[in-house]
Amino acid sequence: QRLACMGKMVDRSTSSVCLEWLSAGAYKNAWKAVIRPSRCIYSLSELGPHEFSIGGRAFEREDFRLKSASGHNLECSHFSLAEPSEDDPGQQDSRPPRPCVLYLHGCSSSRLEVLDVLHKLLPHQLDVFCMDFAGSGLSGGDYVSLGHYEEKDLGVAIRHLRKSGRVTSIGLWGRSMGASTAILRASKD
């Protein structure tokens, strides 16, 4: 007689091996490896200085937190052209809103990934926004969903950017889990 084990039909003698594997916790450990991968822990100093230059132009990074729909802190950074110097009281923030690329990191990673693309995007009059998804990097949460709940985190970031008045349009650039998150969000927005 044949039985189903892990979606496959096996002989009764093989099914006991399958049940032993499941009961020994191997299945549970495999599942945990997917939803709770190793976490990329880093210090904010690894994102570089708050003020920096690329190609002779001054840029700045603003770090802040947003709250996810599930109540977790989402650690975020917004990279943009530097504001006029505070030493000149006649200067106001005259930066017009600019297009923004929202960079979405992969599984077992963090917003540190954005460092690989900043030098390609900022000189082209683009702001860059990144965040640690819940369950990743320095953000709160214990688990990832490979895009499902991360899409909700992305929605929080998009709403923030739209309300800020700092951006004209938003483009999504995702790697691995970040790419699946972007696809899931694009179907809604």
Side-chain angles (χ1 to χ4, degrees):
Q1 188 174 11
R2 295 177 60 81
L3 300 169
C5 179
M6 300 296 294
K8 295 182 179 183
M9 296 304 290
V10 296
D11 292 326
R12 184 175 287 280
S13 61
T14 308
S15 70
S16 65
V17 173
C18 185
L19 291 174
E20 287 174 26
W21 183 79
L22 288 172
S23 64
Y27 179 75
K28 186 177 181 181
N29 289 337
W31 179 242
K32 281 184 177 180
V34 172
I35 64 169
R36 181 59 270 159
S38 60
R39 194 175 193 122
C40 176
I41 302 296
Y42 60 95
S43 70
L44 281 178
S45 65
E46 292 178 73
L47 284 168
H50 283 274
E51 297 176 356
F52 59 97
S53 65
I54 298 173
R57 297 190 67 195
F59 295 94
E60 61 189 9
R61 182 187 88 236
E62 177 188 0
D63 299 318
F64 54 93
R65 285 188 180 116
L66 297 174
K67 193 67 82 172
S68 76
S70 58
H72 298 296
N73 285 331
L74 301 174
E75 300 296 330
C76 307
S77 297
H78 191 144
F79 297 85
S80 59
L81 192 61
E83 291 186 39
S85 170
E86 292 180 12
D87 296 336
D88 186 353
Q91 288 284 333
Q92 295 179 352
D93 186 357
S94 58
R95 294 180 298 179
R98 299 183 344 158
C100 182
V101 173
L102 206 160
Y103 185 87
L104 308 168
H105 66 77
C107 190
S108 294
S109 193
S110 70
R111 62 186 159 157
L112 285 178
E113 280 184 21
V114 80
L115 298 176
D116 293 334
V117 300
L118 285 178
H119 68 282
K120 297 173 184 154
L121 298 173
L122 290 173
H124 294 284
Q125 307 297 315
L126 298 167
D127 280 10
V128 179
F129 181 96
C130 59
M131 66 179 172
D132 290 334
F133 288 119
S136 299
L138 302 180
S139 287
D142 294 319
Y143 302 100
V144 298
S145 66
L146 303 179
H148 178 74
Y149 290 111
E150 290 78 13
E151 180 271 325
K152 294 171 184 1
D153 294 348
L154 175 54
V156 168
I158 289 172
R159 281 190 295 283
H160 165 79
L161 287 171
R162 287 181 174 153
K163 284 183 181 179
S164 74
R166 292 177 61 180
V167 303
T168 56
S169 57
I170 301 168
L172 303 178
W173 181 339
R175 188 185 72 75
S176 184
M177 179 178 75
S180 65
T181 301
I183 291 167
L184 289 169
R185 185 67 201 181
S187 70
K188 296 179 181 179
D189 195 348

